[in-house]
């Protein structure tokens, strides 16, 4: 196994997730990408599910978002503005921060951005029905542009609910999401990602949220477990890009070792 030192960029992310700028290094899951984008063309909400460590964040960052930014057309519109967030322990604050990001809120590179937008947006989202739409309309972000809310690690909401903290903020966050899901006038789409097993807990954790639960269950795309075929294909990909050369004996050893030891690969997708 010989690394190619002529390559300046290290293609191996270790346990870190792929970022948008790593799109050229991401390999595989082409069918999952096509399935997700096809579903996004039909509905304004998609839930991406997978086991822990299966690479949900990496798929979104390095496969889905770059494809949208390259001009994926939905309803005749090819331009996209994307607000990405982790709900965390303050989901409304996280949503406000995502909507206030410079690259999202600016219409042109020279636009000045109010440093107090996060606080302003947080108040709107907390107190105003259809607060997301109000923000987008006020800043003229919807004209000739698709909007994507990319909500990663939706599992955060389960932890928040279990602790019984900030239940009002959690309810408001889900209400704002349902408002977006229920409307079809504005070109606003939402992708949420979460662990597969959490989809079975939705009804018990969030009773009364039928729109949200039905949307998650009805519009699922499942990211499969990383397989031996995926592993060997990734090795071939890195070789084709010149990042590293593997001796044939080494590749055979990897394939046989994984097969005979029944190595569990989901948590090793990035590795």
């Amino acid at each position: 196994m010989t690394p190619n030192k002529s390559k300046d960029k290290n293609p191996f992310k270790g346990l870190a997730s792929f970022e948008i700028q790593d799109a050229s290094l991401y390999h595989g899951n082409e069918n999952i990408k096509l399935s997700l984008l096809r579903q996004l063309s039909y509905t304004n909400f998609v839930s991406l599910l997978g086991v822990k460590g299966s690479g949900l964040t990496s798929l979104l960052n390095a496969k889905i978002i770059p494809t949208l930014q390259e001009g994926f057309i939905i309803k005749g519109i090819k331009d996209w503005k994307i607000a990405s967030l982790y709900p965390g322990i303050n989901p409304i604050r996280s949503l406000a921060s995502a909507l206030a990001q410079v690259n999202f809120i600016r219409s042109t590179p020279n636009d000045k951005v109010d440093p107090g937008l996060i606080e302003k947006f947080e108040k709107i989202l907390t107190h105003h029905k259809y607060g997301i739409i109000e923000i987008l309309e006020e800043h003229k972000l919807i004209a000739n542009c698709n909007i994507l809310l990319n909500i990663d690690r939706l599992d955060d909401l389960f932890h928040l609910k279990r602790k019984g903290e900030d239940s009002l903020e959690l309810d408001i966050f889900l209400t704002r999401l349902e408002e977006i899901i229920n409307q079809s006038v504005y070109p606003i789409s939402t992708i949420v990602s979460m662990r597969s097993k959490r989809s079975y807990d939705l009804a018990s954790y969030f009773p009364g949220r039928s729109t949200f639960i039905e949307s998650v269950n009805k519009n699922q795309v499942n990211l499969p477990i990383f397989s031996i075929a995926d592993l060997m294909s990734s090795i071939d990909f890195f070789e084709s890009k010149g990042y590293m050369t593997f001796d044939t004996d080494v590749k055979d050893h990897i394939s046989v070792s994984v097969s005979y030891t029944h190595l569990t690969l989901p948590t090793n997708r990035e590795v």
Side-chain angles (χ1 to χ4, degrees):
M1 184 172 62
T2 307
N4 187 339
K5 295 183 179 180
S6 65
K7 293 288 181 180
D8 294 329
K9 198 168 186 178
N10 183 354
F12 302 105
K13 298 290 292 182
L15 294 176
S17 298
F18 282 73
E19 302 295 339
I20 295 174
Q21 61 268 24
D22 299 319
S24 63
L25 303 176
Y26 189 94
H27 174 69
N29 289 320
E30 190 66 23
N31 289 337
I32 302 300
K33 181 193 82 169
L34 295 176
S35 177
L36 191 152
L37 293 176
R38 189 183 305 113
Q39 192 141 326
L40 198 63
S41 299
Y42 299 145
T43 179
N44 64 357
F45 183 94
V46 177
S47 55
L48 177 64
L49 307 182
V51 300
K52 180 181 179 181
S54 60
L56 297 172
T57 300
S58 292
L59 176 70
L60 291 169
N61 287 345
K63 201 78 171 178
I64 303 303
I65 291 177
T67 301
L68 297 178
Q69 292 176 331
E70 288 170 1
F72 184 79
I73 298 174
I74 289 184
K75 296 181 180 178
I77 304 174
K78 68 174 184 177
D79 293 325
W80 289 83
K81 280 186 172 291
I82 300 171
S84 296
L85 66 137
Y86 303 123
I89 61 173
N90 299 113
I92 288 293
R93 180 76 176 186
S94 298
L95 178 57
S97 298
L99 295 174
Q101 288 297 309
V102 170
N103 291 336
F104 181 83
I105 202 68
R106 275 180 174 166
S107 297
T108 67
N110 296 323
D111 284 352
K112 292 183 178 179
V113 178
D114 181 356
L117 276 183
I118 295 178
E119 286 72 21
K120 176 183 176 181
F121 288 177
E122 189 172 11
K123 289 180 181 179
I124 292 174
L125 293 169
T126 300
H127 301 291
H128 296 196
K129 188 175 182 179
Y130 295 105
I132 294 174
I133 293 175
E134 179 179 332
I135 290 170
L136 297 177
E137 282 191 326
E138 179 182 346
H139 291 270
K140 300 178 173 62
L141 297 174
I142 304 179
N144 300 316
C145 185
N146 289 304
I147 301 296
L148 174 67
L149 299 180
N150 173 35
I151 306 175
D152 197 6
R153 296 206 305 247
L154 197 70
D155 307 70
D156 290 348
L157 301 186
F158 289 87
H159 299 306
L160 195 62
K161 184 71 173 180
R162 187 168 61 243
K163 290 180 179 179
E165 299 174 358
D166 301 314
S167 58
L168 178 59
E169 181 172 0
L170 176 57
D171 286 341
I172 292 171
F173 180 79
L174 291 174
T175 297
R176 297 291 89 88
L177 280 188
E178 289 184 332
E179 289 169 355
I180 295 302
I181 294 170
N182 281 329
Q183 66 83 38
S184 59
V185 175
Y186 298 93
I188 306 171
S189 300
T190 303
I191 298 176
V192 301
S193 68
M194 60 189 293
R195 297 182 195 177
S196 304
K197 66 178 183 179
R198 285 300 192 187
S199 63
Y200 302 110
D201 299 329
L202 288 170
S204 59
Y205 271 78
F206 306 109
R209 291 293 175 181
S210 57
T211 297
F212 173 68
I213 295 171
E214 181 180 352
S215 297
V216 170
N217 291 330
K218 182 180 178 181
N219 303 301
Q220 292 183 7
V221 174
N222 290 279
L223 184 60
I225 293 173
F226 196 53
S227 67
I228 297 173
D230 293 328
L231 174 61
M232 302 313 296
S233 178
S234 296
I235 289 174
D236 290 340
F237 170 75
F238 286 130
E239 281 192 310
S240 71
K241 294 294 184 179
Y243 291 116
M244 185 166 283
T245 301
F246 292 82
D247 294 335
T248 302
D249 291 344
V250 172
K251 290 198 286 186
D252 290 342
H253 177 72
I254 292 172
S255 179
V256 171
S257 296
V258 172
S259 299
Y260 277 92
T261 59
H262 303 290
L263 178 65
T264 302
L265 292 175
T267 56
N268 297 329
R269 177 174 288 275
E270 274 76 22
V271 176

